[in-house]
Protein backbone atom coordinates (compact mmCIF):
# COMPACT_ATOMS: atom_id res chain seq x y z
CA UNK A 1 0.00 0.00 0.00
CA UNK A 2 2.78 2.44 0.97
CA UNK A 3 4.67 1.57 -2.22
CA UNK A 4 1.62 2.44 -4.29
CA UNK A 5 1.34 5.80 -2.55
CA UNK A 6 5.01 6.56 -3.21
CA UNK A 7 4.62 5.64 -6.88
CA UNK A 8 1.59 7.90 -7.16
CA UNK A 9 3.49 10.72 -5.45
CA UNK A 10 6.31 10.50 -7.99
CA UNK A 11 3.94 10.54 -10.97
CA UNK A 12 1.78 13.39 -9.69
CA UNK A 13 4.82 15.48 -8.71
CA UNK A 14 6.46 14.94 -12.10
CA UNK A 15 3.28 15.95 -13.91
CA UNK A 16 2.80 19.07 -11.77
CA UNK A 17 6.35 20.30 -12.21
CA UNK A 18 6.31 19.38 -15.89
CA UNK A 19 3.11 21.32 -16.51
CA UNK A 20 4.44 24.35 -14.63
CA UNK A 21 7.66 24.24 -16.67
CA UNK A 22 5.80 24.04 -19.97
CA UNK A 23 3.53 26.89 -18.85
CA UNK A 24 6.55 29.05 -17.96
CA UNK A 25 8.21 28.35 -21.33
CA UNK A 26 4.97 29.14 -23.14
CA UNK A 27 4.52 32.32 -21.10
CA UNK A 28 7.93 33.56 -22.19
CA UNK A 29 7.19 32.65 -25.80
CA UNK A 30 3.91 34.55 -25.98
CA UNK A 31 4.70 37.01 -23.18
CA UNK A 32 1.99 36.21 -20.65
CA UNK A 33 3.42 37.63 -17.39
CA UNK A 34 1.04 35.85 -15.01
CA UNK A 35 2.28 32.39 -16.02
CA UNK A 36 5.97 33.22 -15.68
CA UNK A 37 5.80 35.78 -12.87
CA UNK A 38 3.55 36.10 -9.85
CA UNK A 39 1.95 39.50 -9.14
CA UNK A 40 3.51 42.24 -6.99
CA UNK A 41 6.76 42.37 -8.97
CA UNK A 42 8.19 39.05 -7.84
CA UNK A 43 10.92 37.35 -9.84
CA UNK A 44 9.94 35.46 -12.98
CA UNK A 45 10.76 31.89 -13.96
CA UNK A 46 13.67 32.01 -16.40
CA UNK A 47 13.52 29.95 -19.59
CA UNK A 48 16.69 28.05 -18.68
CA UNK A 49 15.19 27.21 -15.29
CA UNK A 50 11.96 25.96 -16.84
CA UNK A 51 13.87 23.85 -19.37
CA UNK A 52 16.08 22.42 -16.64
CA UNK A 53 13.04 21.47 -14.56
CA UNK A 54 11.41 19.89 -17.59
CA UNK A 55 14.52 17.83 -18.34
CA UNK A 56 14.67 16.75 -14.69
CA UNK A 57 11.06 15.56 -14.52
CA UNK A 58 11.42 13.73 -17.82
CA UNK A 59 14.51 11.94 -16.49
CA UNK A 60 12.70 11.12 -13.24
CA UNK A 61 9.66 9.75 -15.07
CA UNK A 62 11.83 7.51 -17.25
CA UNK A 63 13.94 6.25 -14.35
CA UNK A 64 10.84 5.50 -12.34
CA UNK A 65 8.80 3.74 -15.02
CA UNK A 66 11.25 2.07 -17.43
CA UNK A 67 13.01 -1.25 -16.96
CA UNK A 68 16.68 -1.16 -15.87
CA UNK A 69 19.12 -1.56 -18.74
CA UNK A 70 16.73 -0.29 -21.41
CA UNK A 71 17.65 2.37 -23.96
CA UNK A 72 15.34 4.82 -22.23
CA UNK A 73 17.47 4.62 -19.10
CA UNK A 74 20.39 5.97 -21.13
CA UNK A 75 18.17 8.79 -22.34
CA UNK A 76 17.37 9.59 -18.71
CA UNK A 77 21.07 9.74 -17.82
CA UNK A 78 21.69 12.13 -20.72
CA UNK A 79 18.84 14.35 -19.49
CA UNK A 80 20.38 14.26 -16.01
CA UNK A 81 23.71 15.40 -17.45
CA UNK A 82 21.92 18.29 -19.15
CA UNK A 83 20.42 19.28 -15.79
CA UNK A 84 23.88 19.24 -14.17
CA UNK A 85 25.28 21.29 -17.07
CA UNK A 86 22.53 23.93 -16.71
CA UNK A 87 23.42 24.41 -13.06
CA UNK A 88 27.22 24.08 -13.23
CA UNK A 89 27.68 26.46 -16.16
CA UNK A 90 25.44 29.09 -14.58
CA UNK A 91 27.29 28.82 -11.27
CA UNK A 92 30.59 29.18 -13.14
CA UNK A 93 29.34 32.42 -14.68
CA UNK A 94 28.38 33.80 -11.26
CA UNK A 95 31.52 32.65 -9.45
CA UNK A 96 34.09 33.67 -12.07
CA UNK A 97 32.29 36.62 -13.64
CA UNK A 98 32.35 35.16 -17.13
CA UNK A 99 29.78 35.11 -19.92
CA UNK A 100 29.25 31.77 -21.65
CA UNK A 101 26.27 32.91 -23.70
CA UNK A 102 23.87 30.34 -22.22
CA UNK A 103 21.48 32.68 -20.40
CA UNK A 104 19.53 33.56 -23.53
CA UNK A 105 20.62 30.68 -25.74
CA UNK A 106 17.24 28.91 -25.75
CA UNK A 107 15.03 32.00 -25.83
CA UNK A 108 15.90 35.71 -25.47
CA UNK A 109 14.71 37.24 -22.22
CA UNK A 110 11.89 39.75 -22.55
CA UNK A 111 11.55 43.34 -21.46
CA UNK A 112 10.58 42.39 -17.89
CA UNK A 113 14.23 41.50 -17.22
CA UNK A 114 15.70 44.68 -18.72
CA UNK A 115 16.68 45.89 -15.23
CA UNK A 116 18.70 42.74 -14.54
CA UNK A 117 22.50 42.83 -15.02
CA UNK A 118 22.26 39.34 -16.53
CA UNK A 119 18.98 38.97 -18.48
CA UNK A 120 17.76 35.41 -18.68
CA UNK A 121 20.10 34.07 -15.99
CA UNK A 122 18.64 31.81 -13.33
CA UNK A 123 19.31 32.47 -9.66
CA UNK A 124 22.41 30.99 -7.96
CA UNK A 125 20.08 28.96 -5.76
CA UNK A 126 18.36 27.41 -8.76
CA UNK A 127 21.72 26.67 -10.41
CA UNK A 128 22.97 25.06 -7.18
CA UNK A 129 19.84 22.93 -7.00
CA UNK A 130 20.19 21.77 -10.59
CA UNK A 131 23.71 20.49 -9.91
CA UNK A 132 22.57 18.33 -7.00
CA UNK A 133 19.30 17.24 -8.59
CA UNK A 134 21.15 16.23 -11.76
CA UNK A 135 23.71 14.27 -9.74
CA UNK A 136 20.89 12.61 -7.80
CA UNK A 137 19.22 11.60 -11.07
CA UNK A 138 22.52 10.15 -12.30
CA UNK A 139 22.75 8.09 -9.10
CA UNK A 140 19.09 7.09 -8.88
CA UNK A 141 18.60 3.36 -9.46
CA UNK A 142 22.21 2.90 -10.53
CA UNK A 143 23.59 -0.62 -10.80
CA UNK A 144 26.00 0.04 -7.95
CA UNK A 145 24.21 -0.12 -4.60
CA UNK A 146 26.52 2.49 -3.08
CA UNK A 147 25.91 4.90 -5.95
CA UNK A 148 22.14 4.33 -5.86
CA UNK A 149 22.10 5.06 -2.12
CA UNK A 150 23.87 8.39 -2.74
CA UNK A 151 20.84 9.79 -4.57
CA UNK A 152 18.96 10.33 -1.31
CA UNK A 153 21.86 12.27 0.20
CA UNK A 154 22.47 14.35 -2.91
CA UNK A 155 18.90 15.62 -2.93
CA UNK A 156 19.09 16.98 0.64
CA UNK A 157 21.00 20.23 -0.20
CA UNK A 158 18.57 21.05 -3.02
CA UNK A 159 15.57 20.35 -0.80
CA UNK A 160 17.02 22.58 1.93
CA UNK A 161 17.64 25.54 -0.42
CA UNK A 162 14.19 25.20 -2.01
CA UNK A 163 12.46 24.91 1.36
CA UNK A 164 14.20 28.03 2.68
CA UNK A 165 13.19 29.96 -0.44
CA UNK A 166 9.59 28.81 -0.10
CA UNK A 167 9.55 29.85 3.57
CA UNK A 168 11.05 33.18 2.54
CA UNK A 169 8.17 33.84 0.15
CA UNK A 170 5.61 32.68 2.71
CA UNK A 171 6.90 35.04 5.41
CA UNK A 172 8.22 37.85 3.20
CA UNK A 173 11.91 37.32 4.05
CA UNK A 174 13.71 38.13 0.80
CA UNK A 175 17.12 37.09 2.16
CA UNK A 176 15.99 33.45 1.98
CA UNK A 177 15.38 33.50 -1.78
CA UNK A 178 17.48 36.38 -3.07
CA UNK A 179 21.24 37.04 -3.07
CA UNK A 180 22.00 40.50 -4.44
CA UNK A 181 23.04 41.49 -7.07
CA UNK A 182 22.05 38.14 -8.57
CA UNK A 183 18.60 37.10 -9.81
CA UNK A 184 16.20 35.96 -7.10
CA UNK A 185 14.68 32.49 -7.18
CA UNK A 186 11.06 32.76 -8.35
CA UNK A 187 8.28 31.49 -6.10
CA UNK A 188 7.19 29.06 -8.85
CA UNK A 189 10.74 27.73 -9.01
CA UNK A 190 11.11 27.28 -5.26
CA UNK A 191 7.89 25.28 -4.97
CA UNK A 192 8.80 23.21 -8.03
CA UNK A 193 12.15 22.30 -6.50
CA UNK A 194 10.49 21.24 -3.24
CA UNK A 195 8.00 19.02 -5.08
CA UNK A 196 10.68 17.57 -7.36
CA UNK A 197 13.02 16.86 -4.44
CA UNK A 198 10.30 15.02 -2.52
CA UNK A 199 9.49 13.01 -5.63
CA UNK A 200 13.15 12.02 -5.97
CA UNK A 201 13.19 10.87 -2.35
CA UNK A 202 10.14 8.69 -3.04
CA UNK A 203 11.36 7.30 -6.36
CA UNK A 204 13.57 4.45 -5.08
CA UNK A 205 12.07 2.38 -2.28
CA UNK A 206 15.27 0.38 -1.79
CA UNK A 207 17.09 3.22 -0.03
CA UNK A 208 16.61 6.24 2.20
CA UNK A 209 13.27 7.68 3.25
CA UNK A 210 11.31 5.64 0.74
CA UNK A 211 12.68 2.37 2.09
CA UNK A 212 11.57 3.33 5.60
CA UNK A 213 8.13 4.50 4.48
CA UNK A 214 7.44 1.35 2.46
CA UNK A 215 8.79 -1.17 4.97
CA UNK A 216 6.70 -3.25 7.39
CA UNK A 217 8.79 -2.22 10.40
CA UNK A 218 7.96 0.29 13.11
CA UNK A 219 10.09 2.89 11.29
Amino acid sequence: FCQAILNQLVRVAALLVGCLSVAAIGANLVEIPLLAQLPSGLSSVKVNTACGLLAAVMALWILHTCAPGSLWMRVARVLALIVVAFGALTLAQDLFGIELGIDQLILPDNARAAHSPHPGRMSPGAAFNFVFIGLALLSLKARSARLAACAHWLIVPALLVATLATIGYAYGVSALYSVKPYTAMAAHTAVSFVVLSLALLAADSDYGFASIASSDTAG
Side-chain angles (χ1 to χ4, degrees):
F1 177 72
C2 289
Q3 182 62 56
I5 293 178
L6 291 174
N7 291 338
Q8 190 69 13
L9 171 64
V10 175
R11 292 185 173 90
V12 170
L15 287 173
L16 286 175
V17 177
C19 289
L20 180 58
S21 302
V22 171
I25 295 170
N28 282 278
L29 280 171
V30 298
E31 298 188 2
I32 303 177
L34 186 59
L35 292 178
Q37 177 179 3
L38 290 174
S40 304
L42 298 183
S43 182
S44 61
V45 180
K46 304 303 179 185
V47 175
N48 280 6
T49 305
C51 291
L53 286 169
L54 186 58
V57 296
M58 289 171 63
L60 175 59
W61 187 278
I62 293 171
L63 290 168
H64 188 63
T65 58
C66 293
S70 67
L71 178 61
W72 283 107
M73 297 295 278
R74 296 181 183 180
V75 173
R77 304 302 182 193
V78 172
L79 289 170
L81 285 173
I82 292 173
V83 173
V84 174
F86 266 119
L89 292 176
T90 302
L91 281 178
Q93 291 184 126
D94 289 332
L95 290 174
F96 303 112
I98 57 177
E99 289 289 343
L100 299 176
I102 63 172
D103 298 329
Q104 303 192 74
L105 180 63
I106 299 174
L107 186 69
D109 204 355
N110 51 40
R112 294 195 304 276
H115 65 278
S116 173
H118 305 290
R121 183 173 299 182
M122 70 179 74
S123 68
F128 176 87
N129 281 1
F130 276 135
V131 171
F132 280 91
I133 286 175
L135 292 174
L137 287 166
L138 286 172
S139 303
L140 187 67
K141 296 188 177 181
R143 293 182 179 180
S144 168
R146 289 185 178 182
L147 187 59
C150 286
H152 294 270
W153 293 106
L154 287 168
I155 204 60
V156 171
L159 180 59
L160 175 61
V161 170
T163 302
L164 287 175
T166 303
I167 292 172
Y169 275 108
Y171 289 94
V173 184
S174 62
L176 294 180
Y177 58 82
S178 175
V179 179
K180 294 183 177 180
Y182 303 108
T183 306
M185 184 184 296
H188 298 60
T189 305
V191 174
S192 294
F193 277 128
V194 171
V195 174
L196 179 58
S197 298
L198 293 176
L200 275 165
L201 288 176
D204 191 352
S205 59
D206 292 334
Y207 305 98
F209 163 78
S211 66
I212 298 173
S214 61
S215 69
D216 56 359
T217 65

